[in-house]
Every structure is written in structure tokens, then in C-alpha cells.
Amino acid sequence: MQKNSSQATDPKIIVALDYADADSAMRLVNQLDPALCRLKVGKELFTAAGPQFVEKLTYSNFGVFLDLKFHDIPNTVAKACSAASNLGVWMLNVHASGGLEMMQAAKQAVNNSNKKPLLIAVTVLTSMNQATLNQIGIHTDLSTHVLNLAKLTHQAGLDGVVCSALEAQMLRENLGREFCLVTPGIRPANANKDDQSRIVTPAEALALGSSYLVIGRPITKAENPLAALQVIHAECNNL
Ligand code: C5P
């Protein structure tokens, strides 16, 4: 079977597979269409289901964003990025706070792999605010810190960052058209906000400069997940 055929159509929607086990995740995946979305596997599902499950998804033609946010010494992160690249994922990520040398080592490892997935970085976790940043000794204004880390990511040659759609415009203006901005916190108009506070609609996020939208519960908890995906996909393509 061919891997990652979704790349041919470059769907903008990345469905977050926030599940505790492979069976629950597969029940959802079996209802989705790889031409309309990619899939995000994070620490919970990866720790429970393992790399074989990630490979299985890639062989089902879904582009996979492996969201493990590597952050360690450069050599260790580079080795982890090589291993992740060999799984055939479409995108993976590291923490920009690991520094320039760590990100350069990660990029080198990805470039040396056969598959060359996109490599992006997390700047500041959106669970953090100015107070929690101060607690860890960072007294720079939060949005300046986000921009500084995004610039460092760009300098290291990575493909982009994960960010709030509300930061997308500022980052797009500073880092150019090619820099990939992956944004969670997306809610279609009328959808439940769940525990997200600063949300934007899919259309707004794309208008602000997002490249890809990470969407979980509006699709995974929908009565008909494929129908929910189709509606959001249509909204994205009607811009
Ligand atoms: O269900 P929902 O659409 O809120 O899921 C969003 C996904 O994006 C979850 O996997 C969440 O962990 C992730 N995420 C986020 N905010 C960030 C980074 C990641 O919501 N800043």
C-alpha cells in the first residue's frame, strides 16, 4: 500500500487522536477519509499503542503528525527524530526551548532520513501564561518570547511552529509565507468550546495565516465524525 497519499491533496485539517488505546483510536480513524484530513498522535496514544500503531496509520494512507515534542540534549533528540522519521510520519516536532543546536541536530537527522518529514517546534505551551513563564525564570513578555523562539526555529532551518491562531498573523508577518503555522484551539461556529478558551473558527484561522488546523473534539465527539469533517473541510476550501 502507498504511504501518505493525503499529501497529494494537502488537507489542512489534522484530527487529534486523543485516545487512551489503539482500538478506540482505530474506531474513529475507520470513519475518516485520508483525502480530507491528517491525524495527530500525541504522547498518550503513542505511549499506549506504540510505534507499530503509528506505522499502521501511515500505511492506511493517512498523513501522521507525531506530536511527541522532543526536548533533550541534541544527540538524543536527533536520534529520536531519526527513529520517528523512519516510521513514515508526515510531520514531527521538538521544543524550541531546547535551543538552536538541538533544533539543528534534529533537522539534520530528519534531512538524513529517507522520508524527510516536516519538522516543527513548540514555542511556548499555551497552558503557560506570563506568571508561569516568570516562575521558570523567563521575564520576557510572553508574545515577545514566542516570537524569539519562532525566529530561532526559523534560523535552525525548521519548517514551522505550533502556535495559537491568535499569534499566527504576527508570526506570518515576521517569518514569511513559507513558514508553516500549525494551530490548535479551533472551533467551528456553534461548536462546544470544551476546555479551550481562546478559540477561532477554521476560516478565521486560515485567514490569520494558519497553514494547518489541529481539531479534536468537534470531530472525534461528533455523532457523525465524517460529516463533521466534511463540513469543516468544505468551509476551509470555500475561502
Ligand atoms: O479537542 P480539541 O480540538 O480541543 O483538541 C486540540 C488538540 O490540540 C489536543 O490534542 C490538544 O492537546 C492540542 N493542543 C492544544 N493547544 C496547544 C497545543 C496542542 O489544544 N497549544
Side-chain angles (χ1 to χ4, degrees):
M1 214 185 292
Q2 194 197 339
K3 281 190 171 191
N4 293 348
S5 74
S6 63
Q7 286 177 57
T9 53
D10 196 22
K12 304 295 176 209
I13 301 165
I14 304 172
V15 178
L17 293 181
D18 292 325
Y19 291 98
D21 60 83
D23 288 350
S24 311
M26 257 348 260
R27 271 195 290 279
L28 186 271
V29 171
N30 287 335
Q31 300 175 65
L32 301 177
D33 179 351
L36 302 186
C37 68
R38 293 178 164 106
L39 305 172
K40 180 171 89 69
V41 175
K43 288 189 173 94
E44 181 190 18
L45 183 57
F46 184 80
T47 303
Q52 294 80 4
F53 178 73
V54 172
E55 281 198 296
K56 184 174 165 184
L57 295 177
T58 67
Y59 279 114
S60 326
N61 282 336
F62 282 95
V64 176
F65 169 21
L66 189 60
D67 179 21
L68 297 182
K69 302 184 181 71
F70 296 129
H71 188 174
D72 210 311
I73 59 171
N75 183 55
T76 302
V77 168
K79 296 274 171 58
C81 287
S82 290
S85 301
N86 290 338
L87 295 176
V89 300
W90 160 72
M91 174 182 278
L92 63 138
N93 62 358
V94 298
H95 266 285
S97 312
L100 185 64
E101 195 193 332
M102 189 206 79
M103 288 195 279
Q104 286 170 331
K107 184 62 181 169
Q108 185 73 53
V110 165
N111 283 348
N112 288 344
S113 74
N114 290 332
K115 320 262 167 78
K116 299 186 178 38
L118 294 172
L119 179 64
I120 63 171
V122 176
T123 55
V124 178
L125 293 168
T126 48
S127 53
M128 298 195 77
N129 55 29
Q130 192 66 51
T132 50
L133 213 52
N134 293 346
Q135 274 169 0
I136 60 167
I138 296 163
H139 299 281
T140 315
D141 163 72
L142 194 146
S143 63
T144 306
H145 192 53
V146 167
L147 180 58
N148 289 343
L149 287 172
K151 285 180 175 169
L152 198 67
T153 303
H154 189 257
Q155 187 188 339
L158 272 61
D159 300 292
V161 292
V162 184
C163 65
S164 158
L166 299 166
E167 295 160 354
Q169 197 163 12
M170 179 250 309
L171 294 176
R172 179 68 62 229
E173 280 165 12
N174 280 277
L175 295 160
R177 293 166 57 95
E178 301 303 320
F179 203 58
C180 182
L181 302 177
V182 177
T183 59
I186 306 294
R187 287 293 176 274
N190 304 325
N192 190 329
K193 282 174 69 173
D194 303 300
D195 53 1
Q196 299 279 10
S197 50
R198 302 188 312 144
I199 53 170
V200 299
T201 67
E204 284 167 348
L206 293 172
L208 287 166
S210 296
S211 315
Y212 297 102
L213 314 176
V214 175
I215 306 178
R217 288 160 289 182
I219 293 171
T220 61
K221 302 285 186 214
E223 208 167 300
N224 183 339
L226 180 60
L229 171 62
Q230 286 167 333
V231 168
I232 300 172
H233 184 263
E235 180 182 334
C236 294
N237 284 285
N238 284 336
L239 290 176

